[in-house]
Amino acid sequence: MQKIFLECRECNATYRPDFKYVCDSCFGPLDVKYTNKFSTKLFKTRSANTYWKYFELLPILDKSNIISIGSGLTPLIKATKLGEKLGLYNLYIKNDSVNTTFSFKDRPAGVAVSKAKEFNLSTVGCASTGNLASATAAHAAKGGLKCLIFAPKNIEQPKITQAISYGAEYIAIDGTYDDSNRIAAQIGDKHKIGIVNINMRPYYTEGSKTLAFEVADQLGWKVPDQLIIPVGSGAMLNSICKGFEELENVSLLGDTSNIHVTAAQPRGCAPIVNAFKEHRTEIIPIEHPDTIAKSLAIGDPGDGRYVIKRLSQYNGYADDCNNEEIIDSIILLAKTEGIFTEPAGGVSISILRKMVENKMIDKYDQTICFITGNGLKSPESLFDIIPKPKIAQPSIEKILSIMR
C-alpha cells in the first residue's frame, strides 16, 4: 500500500499520488492524505535538526529523494519583553526568519522540489512575491534541477538578487503576482515543469504544516490557545490547521478544536479579511494591491475561501493593518526581542497588538505569533523611518559629544 494518496478537498474523490493537482470530477484542489502506520514515539525520540524529522507525515516516499538545505526546527522564543509591553504572560514567537534562505518558504519549497525529484522532473519553478523564489531556487540548486522564477518586476531587489544567485532564471512580469501566477501555470502545464505552488501544490502545501508540528513539539506536545498567522495566498494558515489536525489524529495531541486562529493581512491587500468581516465565503479579488508587505500582496488568494472555513472551524478572527502600523510593529519586535522581520512579520505583530487592545486575548493564553521572513529581505521599508547615522571625526571627544 502507498504511504499517501490524493483527495479532493471538495468532493472527496481519491487519486494516486501522481503529478496531479486538480480533481477530474469537480476541478477542486487536491490534498495529501496518509495511510501509513508508525509509532508516534519516533517524533519524541528522534534526533534531527530539520523539518524532515517528521518524515512519516510528509509526502516523500523514498528518503533518497529528499533535498535538504538544513531548514526547519526554527526557534520558538518566549517573547518576555514584548509580552510585558503588551500585558501577555505566555507570548511566543515562532521565528522562521532564520531558515536557510531566511523565510518559512524553505518548508513548502523543500517538500515540493523533493517531490519533483521523485517524479523525475528536470525543471522546477514558481510564481512568487519574492521569498518563494529564493527558497525554490536554493533547493533546485542543491538538487541539480533547473529553476524558473515568475515574479512581478517590482519585488524587493534583495529577493531578486538572492534567487538569481542560486542560478535561477528570473522572468520579471510587468504586472501583479496574479499575472505571474497565470503565466507560470500555463508554462508549467504545457512543458511539464514542476511549478511548486501550482501544479505541485498538493505536495508544496505539506511543507508549511511542519510549523504546526514544530510548535506542538517545542511546547512539549501541548495545544496552544492562540495562533496569529500572516496571510497571503492562505496556504500557510490552512496547512498549519491541517498539521494540528493530523497530530490529533495520530494521538500526539489532545483536542485541538479550542485553538483560536487569526488571519493577519495588510490593508491594501486584505481580500480574506474583507470577506470575514462581511460574513462572506466568496473572496473578492484585489486587482491592484497597495502595501509595503509585498510578500503578502496576493490579490486573488488561491486558498482564500478555505481560510474562511478554517476560521469558522477554529474560533477564528481576521483583521488588517496599515503601513504605519506594520512599520511600528517591525521596530517594536526588533527593540524588544532582537528579531528583525520583513513587513509580513510586522503584520502579524500589528494584529496581535490590536487583539490585545480589544481584549480578545487573555493575558495567560499561550499565544504563538508567526514571523515568516527576515527584515534584510526588504530593508527599504524602514529607510525613511530609522534615524540617520551621525557622522563624526575620529576623535574620542567629538564622538562622546554626539553620543546619546
Side-chain angles (χ1 to χ4, degrees):
M1 180 182 289
Q2 288 272 26
K3 168 186 173 182
I4 62 173
F5 63 94
L6 298 178
E7 181 179 87
C8 177
R9 202 179 290 176
E10 293 293 329
C11 72
N12 302 119
T14 60
Y15 301 92
R16 287 176 52 82
D18 296 328
F19 185 24
K20 183 180 187 65
Y21 67 108
V22 175
C23 177
D24 294 337
S25 300
C26 71
F27 305 106
L30 303 179
D31 286 327
V32 176
K33 300 291 182 177
Y34 296 82
T35 60
N36 58 322
K37 302 294 183 182
F38 60 94
S39 170
T40 55
K41 291 180 181 178
L42 281 173
F43 297 161
K44 295 183 177 181
T45 60
R46 179 179 288 158
S47 176
N49 58 4
T50 76
Y51 57 79
W52 291 106
K53 173 181 181 180
Y54 312 102
F55 171 78
E56 287 74 14
L57 287 175
L58 289 171
I60 306 304
L61 304 180
D62 185 340
K63 287 185 178 182
S64 68
N65 291 314
I66 290 175
I67 299 170
S68 175
I69 59 173
S71 296
L73 294 190
T74 55
L76 182 68
I77 298 167
K78 187 158 189 182
T80 307
K81 285 188 67 180
L82 179 59
E84 286 176 358
K85 207 160 188 71
L86 299 180
L88 298 177
Y89 292 96
N90 285 302
L91 174 62
Y92 292 83
I93 301 295
K94 180 58 173 169
N95 184 14
D96 249 31
S97 71
V98 297
N99 273 314
T100 308
T101 72
F102 308 112
S103 88
F104 88 98
K105 290 292 188 181
D106 280 354
R107 300 173 185 274
V111 173
V113 176
S114 296
K115 197 65 184 178
K117 180 183 176 184
E118 196 154 75
F119 285 147
N120 294 313
L121 301 182
S122 61
T123 305
V124 294
C126 67
S128 178
T129 54
N131 287 331
L132 182 57
S134 300
T136 303
H139 284 88
K142 177 74 171 179
L145 283 72
K146 295 180 182 177
C147 184
L148 300 175
I149 304 298
F150 302 88
K153 67 178 184 179
N154 65 343
I155 65 171
E156 297 96 333
Q157 190 62 42
K159 295 179 180 179
I160 297 171
T161 303
Q162 186 182 10
I164 293 175
S165 73
Y166 298 122
E169 182 177 355
Y170 171 64
I171 295 95
I173 304 298
D174 187 9
T176 65
Y177 167 81
D178 297 302
D179 295 319
S180 304
N181 195 74
R182 175 174 50 82
I183 295 296
Q186 292 170 355
I187 291 176
D189 287 347
K190 185 175 181 180
H191 297 282
K192 202 177 179 183
I193 295 169
I195 306 297
V196 298
N197 54 336
I198 302 176
N199 57 20
M200 297 290 297
R201 196 171 183 84
Y203 310 102
Y204 165 86
T205 56
E206 290 296 278
S208 295
K209 75 181 184 185
T210 60
L211 281 161
F213 296 169
E214 290 180 21
V215 165
D217 195 342
Q218 291 164 324
L219 291 176
W221 301 105
K222 294 179 181 177
V223 181
D225 298 305
Q226 303 276 352
L227 305 177
I228 318 296
I229 305 171
V231 172
S233 73
M236 182 176 74
L237 185 147
N238 188 53
S239 295
I240 289 173
C241 292
K242 183 175 186 281
F244 279 107
E245 279 181 338
E246 289 180 351
L247 292 179
E248 182 177 351
N249 290 340
V250 297
S251 302
L252 271 166
L253 286 182
D255 183 9
T256 62
S257 64
N258 292 322
I259 298 175
H260 292 72
V261 175
T262 295
Q265 290 198 291
R267 198 163 300 159
C269 192
I272 294 171
V273 172
N274 294 342
F276 176 83
K277 290 186 174 181
E278 295 167 15
H279 307 287
R280 289 186 280 105
T281 56
E282 175 196 8
I283 306 297
I284 299 175
I286 305 295
E287 289 189 18
H288 302 289
D290 182 16
T291 173
I292 62 168
K294 292 182 180 179
S295 64
L296 302 180
I298 299 176
D300 190 7
D303 275 20
R305 69 192 192 91
Y306 300 107
V307 170
I308 297 297
K309 286 185 177 181
R310 290 296 192 184
L311 296 182
S312 177
Q313 177 186 359
Y314 282 107
N315 316 290
Y317 180 65
D319 205 351
D320 60 6
C321 51
N322 62 35
N323 287 346
E324 183 180 354
E325 291 167 330
I326 294 170
I327 290 170
D328 285 347
S329 294
I330 292 172
I331 293 172
L332 176 64
L333 180 63
K335 287 185 173 181
T336 54
E337 298 300 331
I339 298 171
F340 182 37
T341 181
E342 67 172 358
V347 170
S348 52
I349 296 295
S350 180
I351 300 309
L352 169 69
R353 296 168 74 181
K354 288 187 176 188
M355 293 178 71
V356 171
E357 289 168 7
N358 293 327
K359 303 188 186 309
M360 298 179 67
I361 298 178
D362 185 87
K363 62 184 178 180
Y364 295 108
D365 279 354
Q366 200 162 57
T367 301
I368 316 297
C369 199
F370 290 86
I371 300 301
T372 52
N374 196 291
L376 293 177
K377 284 177 169 276
S378 52
E380 66 277 7
S381 61
L382 299 183
F383 284 169
D384 295 331
I385 305 298
I386 58 175
K388 299 297 182 289
K390 297 174 182 177
I391 300 173
Q393 295 297 314
S395 158
I396 292 176
E397 290 77 13
K398 290 183 178 179
I399 290 173
L400 289 174
S401 71
I402 65 171
M403 287 173 61
R404 286 187 291 179

